[in-house]
Amino acid sequence: MKFEHHSISKDQHIDLFKSILKPRLIEEKMLVLLRQGKISKWFSGIGQEAIAVGVTKSLLPDEYILPMHRNLGVFTERHIPLYRLFSQWQGKLNGFTKGRDRSFHFGTQEFKIIGMISHLGPQLGVADGIGLAHKLKNESSVTAVFTGEGGTSEGDFHEALNVASVWQLPLLFCVENNGYGLSTPTNEQFNCEHIADKAVGYGMESHIIDGNNIVEVFTKVSEITERIRQNPKPVLLEFKTFRRRGHEEASGTKYVPDELMKHWEKLDPVDNYELFLLESKFLTEREISSIKSELKSEIDEHLKLANKEVEVEADEATELQDVFKLYEFNGQLPSPRKTELRFIDAISDGLKQSMEKFEDLVIMGQDVAEYGGVFKITEGFLEMFGKERVRNTPICESAIISAAMGLSIKGIKSVVEMQFGDFVTSGFNPLVNYLAKVHYRWGQNADVVIRMPCGAGVGAGPFHSQTNEAWFTKTPGLKVVYPSSPQDAKGLLIAAIQDPNPVLFFEHKALYRSIRGEVSDDYFTIELGKANRVQEGDKLTVITYGAAVHWALDVLKQYPDISVELIDLRTLSPLDEEAIFASVKKTGKVIIFQEDSLFGGIASDISALISEHCFEYLDAPIKRVASLSTPIPFAKNLENQYLGKSKFEEALITLNKY
């Protein structure tokens, strides 16, 4: 290994040595604590310290870095007080997650570090969002994101690099090629010689760097980051290194050939650099011993501080409160001036007025710019707001949802349009595992609205007709909105964009051009979590939402002698339990009507809630009406048979007679 470099002074060499030594000494201490049962798990980065330290040193203090679980050097180089790291690893309050997540699964705006989740891939797309924010804010900044060679097999890797290249984002994609994904060697992970070679397919610059040479890492990455600040573009860096301990300590390394392990032991980044400093007479044995002693004293001192800290107290109210970012709803009343609009036009109007109010709000989605979206909701937006804020995306739902998370980290709101709500499955992981959990885990909100054109009744078949809200009402941390009228669609969409939490906004396609109504002209909001009593009655309650509101009304008009109270939920999470219980207590009979298939739908949970809280008020069994438990068919007669609207009339008559 050659450590001489014309740009590195003696003092810089010594500083680099201290920086690479510190995470090594911390790790050695943590392995002792692991054996003592004082920490639960450890992912060792021994032998890879040069990468995390060198990359972090090449960045400015206010530039974001998204590390992995072997990048302790990122955290030490950002000078996080060690007692806070020790508290984090022990699940204590002075950590960064209040005991809710472990090891390096956390972020901190204070130190500009955005932590990983176990699913690895989404953080690459999150980096895209931060990089996009740099461009939107005209910041000459670089963001670095880490992954391992195993993570490059995930689709998120392809999506994130593709988006970064298409948008020319100022990013470093840092791949630590350490030989094994748990026990699977690289020759079983990918069939190319170098990961860096993949950059050609993205039209992206790439470099291969000796990940065990701190000087090479620092100097090469510093030169690259300086160029990116002047000329924003993504660069793929492959760091050749080796994982000398188990994936995590319990895994062991029996699958690694002895000769391979011995080869990489000889290339140890800390030992070899120490030897260089001695041979160059930059440091003496005594000085090195003194540096180690000083660092060990710091580690021991901070461990004592962390050990004195009490365990996190379990408090149910706090746990529930921290799922969402609290904010004061700023209700803005509808204006008396109204215009009759179609459902689709009301959504477009609410979106346009939100773009005017929030000057950095970004809309992202397939074909949303020049084409105006497949339903033409954003038609004309490009001319009004420009291509920076109305962004066509590649077909990569996972990367774009992740990028929206990155924008939120930089304080920018975004609206992501799923071309069809069905396609959200391709972005399911970042939505339910990143956006939904991020505030609970470490206090960072996801200021994102996902628009979900959905629903059957238009002959679109199994992949363009689902109403899949139940997937998300099950997930703590997501808000789910499902309007049925033009006025509600506008007011709720504006409120969803105002809300700093992730919101899925369902828009029934069959309502787009079939429903009209008076809509307030000006900017206004309708509070999320508040149901609407569409029709008063005292004999029977119908609880529903979306297109089923209109299906119910069509039937109820035929039975004016049945006094029905019709409740439009409007928001499914949070659910207006108060409105539900009040109506059921008044009427004593209830139908819960949903378009979704019966089993596992939200009607089941509403039924359970009513049974638990209103049982003594019921005069009849709770009736659920829903669609068949099949995929949604294409042919009209099959689709009509599938939909629960054909079953509602019979349920109404039967329950009324009970």
Side-chain angles (χ1 to χ4, degrees):
M1 259 185 242
K2 294 183 179 179
F3 295 105
E4 300 89 353
H5 195 279
H6 64 87
S7 69
I8 306 296
S9 67
K10 172 185 173 181
D11 287 344
Q12 285 178 305
H13 274 300
I14 295 172
D15 178 64
L16 283 171
F17 175 66
K18 290 179 179 178
S19 293
I20 196 175
L21 179 62
K22 189 172 187 175
R24 171 66 61 88
L25 295 178
I26 292 172
E27 280 223 45
E28 290 175 351
K29 188 71 172 183
M30 291 306 107
L31 292 175
V32 172
L33 295 180
L34 181 69
R35 288 192 292 271
Q36 294 174 347
K38 293 180 179 178
I39 58 174
S40 64
K41 203 158 190 170
W42 189 256
F43 296 87
S44 178
I46 286 177
Q48 300 180 208
E49 296 92 344
I51 304 168
V53 170
V55 170
T56 307
K57 276 187 172 295
S58 75
L59 297 176
L60 303 176
D62 63 347
E63 291 180 322
Y64 283 89
I65 187 164
L66 292 82
M68 294 281 282
H69 45 273
R70 299 187 208 289
N71 298 134
L72 174 57
V74 169
F75 299 85
T76 55
E77 195 54 39
R78 282 286 162 94
H79 306 297
I80 294 179
L82 295 187
Y83 76 89
R84 294 202 66 190
L85 289 177
F86 299 151
S87 293
Q88 170 66 24
W89 301 334
Q90 295 180 52
K92 293 184 175 180
L93 198 59
N94 273 336
F96 294 88
T97 65
K98 300 182 182 179
R100 294 166 181 161
D101 214 336
R102 64 184 183 185
S103 64
F104 297 104
H105 290 226
F106 71 90
T108 160
Q109 286 281 11
E110 180 182 0
F111 297 99
K112 296 296 183 286
I113 295 174
I114 307 301
M116 59 175 290
I117 67 169
S118 295
H119 300 70
L120 306 181
Q123 74 173 11
L124 297 162
V126 173
D128 280 351
I130 297 173
L132 175 58
H134 289 324
K135 293 195 74 170
L136 294 174
K137 292 173 178 279
N138 295 313
E139 297 171 342
S140 298
S141 297
V142 181
T143 290
V145 57
F146 282 82
T147 192
E149 85 291 330
T152 65
S153 298
E154 291 190 297
D156 290 84
F157 176 80
H158 160 74
E159 291 191 16
L161 267 67
N162 190 50
V163 169
S165 184
V166 169
W167 289 353
Q168 286 294 281
L169 302 177
L171 300 177
L172 289 178
F173 290 99
C174 303
V175 180
E176 294 180 291
N177 186 348
N178 63 16
Y180 286 86
L182 209 155
S183 68
T184 305
T186 53
N187 67 299
E188 295 179 28
Q189 287 277 359
F190 49 84
N191 194 24
C192 58
E193 185 176 359
H194 305 293
I195 292 169
D197 295 340
K198 297 185 179 185
V200 176
Y202 303 108
M204 186 184 297
E205 177 184 332
S206 69
H207 300 270
I208 296 173
I209 297 175
D210 181 355
N212 283 31
N213 186 324
I214 182 64
V215 173
E216 182 175 336
V217 174
F218 173 63
T219 55
K220 285 191 176 181
V221 177
S222 294
E223 183 269 326
I224 293 166
T225 54
E226 190 54 41
R227 284 194 287 110
I228 295 175
R229 291 185 193 105
Q230 303 303 317
N231 179 28
K233 64 176 182 178
V235 175
L236 175 62
L237 303 177
E238 180 182 2
F239 297 95
K240 301 286 190 179
T241 185
F242 194 76
R243 174 164 58 71
R244 286 165 47 197
R245 299 192 70 87
H247 168 70
E248 40 81 30
E249 286 305 305
S251 303
T253 57
K254 289 183 179 179
Y255 47 83
V256 181
D258 287 342
E259 61 273 17
L260 186 60
M261 187 68 79
K262 290 175 182 177
H263 169 77
W264 282 98
E265 284 176 2
K266 293 177 184 177
L267 299 176
D268 184 276
V270 178
D271 293 345
N272 280 285
Y273 198 38
E274 180 178 327
L275 182 61
F276 162 76
L277 295 176
L278 285 169
E279 291 176 346
S280 302
K281 297 187 170 22
F282 290 160
L283 286 172
T284 65
E285 292 274 9
R286 179 176 292 182
E287 287 170 328
I288 289 174
S289 179
S290 176
I291 290 169
K292 290 180 179 179
S293 178
E294 185 179 333
L295 288 173
K296 288 178 179 178
S297 294
E298 180 188 357
I299 292 167
D300 289 340
E301 178 187 344
H302 281 259
L303 264 175
K304 289 177 183 176
L305 287 173
N307 290 338
K308 287 178 182 177
E309 189 184 347
V310 297
E311 299 295 325
V312 175
E313 290 188 15
D315 180 74
E316 186 174 300
T318 300
E319 289 294 286
L320 291 171
Q321 176 181 289
D322 285 355
V323 173
F324 293 107
K325 179 176 181 177
L326 295 178
Y327 84 110
E328 187 175 346
F329 174 68
N330 181 22
Q332 291 169 265
L333 295 174
S335 67
R337 297 188 309 277
K338 294 185 176 182
T339 303
E340 186 175 86
L341 295 177
R342 299 175 301 175
F343 190 84
I344 194 169
D345 299 324
I347 293 170
S348 181
D349 202 34
L351 195 54
K352 176 167 71 80
Q353 290 180 4
S354 294
M355 291 286 282
E356 292 167 347
K357 180 175 178 62
F358 300 103
E359 294 182 354
D360 59 356
L361 173 63
V362 175
I363 297 173
M364 297 187 289
Q366 296 157 31
D367 306 298
V368 298
E370 290 87 351
Y371 192 69
V374 294
F375 298 104
K376 303 302 179 183
I377 284 176
T378 54
E379 191 169 32
F381 278 39
L382 182 64
E383 291 73 22
M384 287 185 277
F385 305 111
K387 201 166 180 68
E388 289 297 293
R389 295 181 62 202
V390 184
R391 306 186 72 88
N392 284 336
T393 70
I395 301 176
C396 50
E397 286 82 4
S398 186
I400 298 307
I401 291 173
S402 299
M405 179 70 239
L407 288 175
S408 184
I409 286 168
K410 286 284 289 178
I412 296 176
K413 290 178 177 288
S414 61
V415 175
V416 176
E417 178 185 295
M418 292 292 109
Q419 196 168 77
F420 292 87
D422 312 65
F423 298 166
V424 75
T425 50
S426 295
F428 196 73
N429 179 31
L431 187 51
V432 302
N433 285 315
Y434 206 128
L435 275 67
K437 296 176 173 63
V438 67
H439 188 267
Y440 173 77
R441 288 171 53 240
W442 56 276
Q444 171 64 53
N445 66 303
D447 201 343
V448 180
V449 174
I450 312 288
R451 289 186 43 244
M452 299 277 288
C454 66
V458 292
F463 303 118
H464 297 78
S465 305
Q466 296 174 89
T467 173
N468 45 26
E469 65 279 357
W471 298 348
F472 305 105
T473 54
K474 171 69 179 68
T475 305
L478 298 176
K479 297 190 177 183
V480 180
V481 180
Y482 205 141
S484 68
S485 72
Q487 177 80 345
D488 286 353
K490 179 178 176 179
L492 288 168
L493 178 58
I494 290 173
I497 293 169
Q498 277 193 7
D499 195 310
N501 296 289
V503 180
L504 285 108
F505 194 85
F506 284 81
E507 306 164 7
H508 202 289
K509 304 189 304 295
L511 301 184
Y512 273 158
R513 291 174 171 83
S514 66
I515 299 297
R516 307 180 72 92
E518 293 289 311
V519 178
S520 299
D521 292 341
D522 296 335
Y523 183 94
F524 72 96
T525 55
I526 295 173
E527 186 175 0
L528 306 188
K530 299 295 182 183
N532 179 38
R533 187 169 58 191
V534 177
Q535 177 177 301
E536 287 196 52
D538 58 14
K539 297 301 182 186
L540 191 150
T541 295
V542 174
I543 299 168
T544 188
Y545 55 93
V549 171
H550 302 280
W551 300 342
L553 284 170
D554 289 342
V555 172
L556 294 179
K557 289 174 185 175
Q558 303 173 39
Y559 298 92
D561 54 330
I562 303 178
S563 181
V564 174
E565 183 145 290
L566 180 59
I567 303 295
D568 178 2
L569 293 172
R570 301 196 294 195
T571 302
L572 308 182
S573 179
L575 188 65
D576 192 348
E577 295 179 11
E578 183 180 345
I580 292 169
F581 298 158
S583 182
V584 172
K585 288 176 181 179
K586 179 170 68 172
T587 67
K589 296 180 180 180
V590 58
I591 296 175
I592 309 165
F593 186 16
Q594 67 183 29
E595 179 177 341
D596 194 9
S597 298
L598 185 62
F599 189 83
I602 193 172
S604 300
D605 276 288
I606 295 173
S607 176
L609 284 168
I610 293 170
S611 294
E612 290 169 7
H613 295 275
C614 306
F615 183 75
E616 64 271 30
Y617 296 92
L618 291 173
D619 297 324
I622 299 167
K623 183 68 176 175
R624 293 175 298 150
V625 177
S627 298
L628 290 177
S629 292
T630 69
I632 305 171
F634 159 65
K636 192 63 178 173
N637 61 331
L638 295 178
E639 187 179 45
N640 288 340
Q641 175 183 259
Y642 163 84
L643 287 171
K645 65 186 294 186
S646 63
K647 306 173 183 66
F648 177 71
E649 183 176 7
E650 179 184 350
L652 176 70
I653 295 169
T654 301
L655 193 61
N656 183 56
K657 291 179 179 179
Y658 188 90

